[in-house]
Amino acid sequence: ALPLAVAAAAAAFAIVPAQQTMRTKGVDGFSARIAVQRGGQIQWLSSTQELHAQDRVQLELNDPLGGWVAVLLETEAGEVSVLYAPEELGEFGPGVHRLKDSFVLDDAGGRERLHIVSSEVRFAAKSLQAELQKASKRGFNHGWLPGAGVRHLSFEWVKVIP
């Protein structure tokens, strides 16, 4: 598991409607799915499904070119965490890959955005983190995209505290 704050309180997450859930930049066919484990059962996340504190999340990527991958989590408050860095994951070949580790959702309220970036050239996730933190100072709807030569996906959800 990754070093994310583990939630003690029960929180629910509402997923933004499908047309707003995933943004892509780059190659056709670059996509991702999110598997959610709760109570011993694993389901693929849909745009109408709620997420809860303590849900374990795992990503599956489909990258027709392969390469180096980083995953970053951005909060509405402007915090940006590197969940997976290219040096941790290693280089992927073309095709479908389930990331080896999973992470547990915390209980902080507000919107979050998960960024998945892939490139055929190794890059520093810390540089992307710094760019994203700078963009976040303009507000959550800043429209940040990484530079040329990379593929990018983002998933967004709103955490609702019941």
Side-chain angles (χ1 to χ4, degrees):
L2 296 171
L4 288 180
V6 178
F13 300 78
I15 301 301
V16 176
Q19 67 272 19
Q20 299 173 7
T21 300
M22 185 171 72
R23 290 179 25 197
T24 63
K25 171 190 182 247
V27 174
D28 288 338
F30 180 52
S31 62
R33 296 193 308 168
I34 299 175
V36 178
Q37 180 182 8
R38 179 185 313 140
Q41 295 188 351
I42 299 174
Q43 297 179 6
W44 292 109
L45 185 65
S46 71
S47 62
T48 58
Q49 182 180 354
E50 289 186 347
L51 297 176
H52 301 271
Q54 304 298 316
D55 279 352
R56 184 163 294 282
V57 175
Q58 188 172 30
L59 302 174
E60 181 180 275
L61 306 179
N62 181 5
D63 190 346
L65 298 179
W68 300 90
V69 174
V71 180
L72 297 95
L73 182 66
E74 173 188 12
T75 70
E76 187 173 29
E79 298 170 7
V80 179
S81 303
V82 176
L83 301 181
Y84 300 99
E87 58 272 12
E88 295 172 64
L89 296 174
E91 187 174 12
F92 290 118
V96 177
H97 303 278
R98 186 169 291 183
L99 300 189
K100 61 183 177 179
D101 291 325
S102 58
F103 56 93
V104 176
L105 296 175
D106 67 16
D107 65 344
R111 292 165 57 191
E112 288 186 338
R113 190 176 295 127
L114 189 71
H115 296 271
I116 304 168
V117 179
S118 180
S119 174
E120 293 175 82
V121 177
R122 190 170 173 174
F123 59 94
K126 293 288 186 189
S127 296
L128 292 180
Q129 182 182 25
E131 286 179 26
L132 197 47
Q133 283 175 323
K134 183 177 178 183
S136 291
K137 292 179 181 175
R138 297 191 307 263
F140 195 66
N141 294 323
H142 49 70
W144 175 85
L145 288 172
V150 300
R151 298 166 301 282
H152 174 257
L153 299 171
S154 64
F155 292 89
E156 185 176 316
W157 55 80
V158 180
K159 295 182 189 178
V160 179
I161 308 296

